[in-house]
Amino acid sequence: MWESYESQISRKPITQPRIIIHGGAGNIRPETMPPERYQLFRASLLTIISKSHRFLLNPLPDGSLPTALDSATYAVTLLEDDPLYNAGRGAVFTRDGINELEASIMITNPTRWPKRGVGVSGLRRVKNPIKLAAELLKRGGQDLVGKGVAVEDVEGAEGRLNVPSAQGHTHLHGAAAEQLAEAYGLELVDPSYFWTKDRWEQHRRGLEREKAMAELTCSGLHGCGTPAGTASWSSDEFIPQGTVGAVVVDAYGTVCVATSTGGLTNKLTGRIGDTPTVGAGFWAEEWLEELEGQKAGSSSCPAVVLSGALKGLVADCLSTPRMYQLGSSSPKRVVTKRAIAVSGTGNGDSFLRTTAARTVGAIAQFGKESGAVALTKVTGPGGELQRSAGDRWGKTGEGEGGMIGIECIVVYDGDGNAVESRSEILQDFNCGGMLRAWVDEQGVAFMRVFRKDPALAAKYVGEGIPEDPQNWCGEKL
Ligand code: ASP
């Protein structure tokens, strides 16, 4: 059955391309986010979402449309190059004052790139970690059989690690990963490229706060009524958990998630977080669902009788312009493919302990929930992440975070032809705010940090206001 549906991939467009990006989540509140700083994020996010959306819709010389993999890599590269975010150029420091970068990428289907998902960590010299992750994924077909690029081919390779290719490995760390980056011709930089004043000051303040906390003689995390904090988190400051991410569905129904980070401020040197760890900070997968009842379709709808999670996503297809109509067919039977990809940001150790991203996928698949419900159960207020913090919630940053994602549903007739499709942008968080932007079904761009709240909308000009991406495709304002 899979072959029948997979053979459709990359032949003809079957759905409307969509994109959502994030620039981190955490203790973002009016007290920790001055309006001037908000405007910097707003201009950056709207510019990057608009450029990435244009990239996604721009046909390639052979007439095909860009893949979700290339589009998500493009978006995250722009985010990594902007020092506002805790990724690439603006990465945070470890306790030892070092930048150690991490990234990952994953796609929902294995047809073109069988490796599907990879993570990289412990990078000190790779300018754009996301490009390394993407390269490792694209080369997966060769790597899986041990025939990838030979590092001996690189000038001056003597005396270095024996890294003939990425092999079938899913996660590569440190020197081995950097050798492959060099072998692939990716740009390496001096570690000083990642030094920024803001991050250095946050690093120093964090260590001082930790020292001050240690000197308090009061018992308990909030014992003296003073603001709580650690070297990595503060109740009265937004210490960037500013990981960046992009989730894209391309015209061919593949969903890709790309995520990149400097990790937690003042993490231990050598710590590996959720961002490069499959299932914790990112996940992408697809599966088929046989529908409970089917009957012959009409020209306008395959008349599917939908079960569980699919109700409300596809069942209302006739009444909404959001459904991507693919022409008439007479299905003998109906099969639905659900694809979902999510990118997380927040306290990575909590994401690791709850395998947060994979849990979203599992709830959607085995719990028969919509992607939106599944994501909220994990990362929404009172969800699994918050629950995992126990009585430390609100005191250490544990459990805090958010996620973005896309669910794409394609309905196939009995001959394996896609007859209808629909995608849904997913987003939720359990903390003060999540920096995010997306393009809706009508091609309108939005940027938001908070939940809908008239008081916050008045304070933060532009919050949630519809924008024409065309107006944001130039350089950052
Ligand atoms: N999740 C990241 C980490 O813990 C931090 C972030 O999202 O900003 O490494």
Side-chain angles (χ1 to χ4, degrees):
M1 181 190 290
W2 274 105
E3 292 68 32
S4 161
Y5 301 105
E6 285 188 356
S7 63
Q8 304 294 318
I9 291 164
S10 74
R11 279 220 212 114
K12 55 181 183 184
I14 57 169
T15 197
Q16 182 186 350
R18 307 281 300 276
I19 177 168
I20 179 168
I21 59 173
H22 73 73
N27 187 18
I28 311 178
R29 292 177 287 113
E31 306 82 60
T32 61
M33 176 64 79
E36 314 77 63
R37 189 155 177 80
Y38 173 94
Q39 290 306 330
L40 294 178
F41 280 117
R42 179 173 141 76
S44 169
L45 285 169
L46 282 168
T47 302
I48 292 172
I49 194 76
S50 301
K51 285 184 171 179
S52 305
H53 189 242
R54 183 178 61 184
F55 180 99
L56 180 61
L57 298 183
N58 202 12
L60 300 169
D62 68 358
S64 67
L65 285 162
T67 61
L69 177 67
D70 286 340
S71 306
T73 305
Y74 174 82
V76 170
T77 300
L78 295 181
L79 290 158
E80 285 179 338
D81 288 345
D82 189 331
L84 271 178
Y85 306 100
N86 170 20
R89 176 106 170 86
V92 300
F93 289 92
T94 68
R95 296 177 71 88
D96 303 307
I98 295 168
N99 302 107
E100 283 196 335
L101 286 71
E102 310 179 324
S104 59
I105 201 155
M106 193 162 188
I107 51 172
T108 47
N109 76 70
T111 310
R112 190 156 166 194
W113 295 298
K115 206 173 227 177
R116 270 194 58 222
V118 293
V120 286
S121 58
L123 306 177
R124 298 184 181 186
R125 295 186 307 132
V126 179
K127 182 174 180 236
N128 290 108
I130 198 62
K131 289 188 179 172
L132 175 57
E135 207 53 46
L136 286 166
L137 189 136
K138 283 182 171 177
R139 291 168 186 262
Q142 285 190 310
D143 286 347
L144 283 167
V145 291
K147 288 194 176 151
V149 64
V151 85
E152 286 79 15
D153 294 346
V154 178
E155 221 176 295
E158 285 142 55
R160 297 202 292 171
L161 297 175
N162 179 7
V163 186
S165 78
Q167 310 288 326
H169 305 321
T170 301
H171 187 147
L172 282 164
H173 180 81
E178 292 198 333
Q179 274 183 215
L180 284 173
E182 193 177 353
Y184 299 159
L186 297 177
E187 190 174 357
L188 299 184
V189 290
D190 186 86
S192 62
Y193 167 81
F194 299 109
W195 193 96
T196 60
K197 188 166 174 288
D198 272 6
R199 296 291 182 242
W200 185 254
E201 286 171 357
Q202 282 161 358
H203 157 65
R204 299 304 311 165
R205 275 203 303 278
L207 293 180
E208 277 155 26
R209 182 172 45 249
E210 181 183 63
K211 202 161 155 233
M213 294 298 293
E215 281 163 6
L216 286 176
T217 48
C218 328
S219 61
L221 285 161
H222 262 147
C224 299
T226 51
T230 66
S232 302
W233 185 86
S234 164
S235 64
D236 62 353
E237 186 182 356
F238 169 49
I239 300 183
Q241 296 179 320
T243 292
V244 303
V247 183
V248 176
V249 59
D250 62 27
Y252 311 104
T254 295
V255 195
C256 175
V257 51
T259 313
S260 181
T261 191
L264 289 179
T265 301
N266 290 325
K267 65 184 181 181
L268 297 186
T269 303
R271 176 257 194 186
I272 297 173
D274 59 316
T275 297
T277 306
V278 184
F282 70 102
W283 184 251
E285 70 179 324
E286 65 180 25
W287 64 94
L288 298 180
E289 286 188 5
E290 302 267 355
L291 301 173
E292 272 166 7
Q294 302 107 28
K295 53 185 179 177
S298 68
S299 62
S300 53
C301 183
V304 288
V305 179
L306 295 162
S307 64
L310 300 178
K311 275 187 188 140
L313 276 177
V314 172
D316 59 350
C317 64
L318 287 175
S319 59
T320 168
R322 288 188 281 171
M323 197 68 196
Y324 195 86
Q325 301 281 344
L326 293 157
S328 64
S329 79
S330 304
K332 299 169 205 130
R333 52 199 284 275
V334 176
V335 173
T336 296
K337 186 181 80 181
R338 294 178 68 192
I340 185 168
V342 297
S343 168
T345 171
N347 185 307
D349 295 299
S350 299
F351 278 72
L352 281 159
R353 286 195 279 272
T354 55
T355 47
R358 166 63 181 146
T359 299
V360 171
I363 292 173
Q365 183 173 1
F366 305 115
K368 303 278 179 210
E369 295 283 8
S370 71
V373 168
L375 186 138
T376 290
K377 282 189 180 218
V378 173
T379 199
E384 192 56 18
L385 275 165
Q386 179 170 339
R387 196 191 60 77
S388 75
D391 60 7
R392 295 175 302 284
W393 174 252
K395 298 172 184 166
T396 61
E398 203 179 324
E400 278 187 3
M403 262 188 224
I404 59 167
I406 291 181
E407 175 166 21
C408 177
I409 295 180
V410 182
V411 180
Y412 293 90
D413 68 15
D415 301 321
N417 300 309
V419 290
E420 309 236 17
S421 74
R422 181 164 176 178
S423 61
E424 200 85 356
I425 295 273
L426 319 174
Q427 49 184 304
D428 208 346
F429 52 96
N430 61 24
C431 46
M434 177 164 72
L435 296 150
R436 61 206 193 274
W438 68 97
V439 176
D440 77 0
E441 308 79 6
Q442 280 81 34
V444 179
F446 294 87
M447 176 271 182
R448 268 193 184 281
V449 174
F450 305 102
R451 294 182 185 286
K452 281 187 190 156
D453 176 339
L456 289 172
K459 182 175 167 87
Y460 295 104
V461 178
E463 169 85 349
I465 287 195
E467 293 280 352
D468 181 349
Q470 302 253 29
N471 297 336
W472 291 90
C473 276
E475 282 319 298
K476 197 160 74 173
L477 298 180

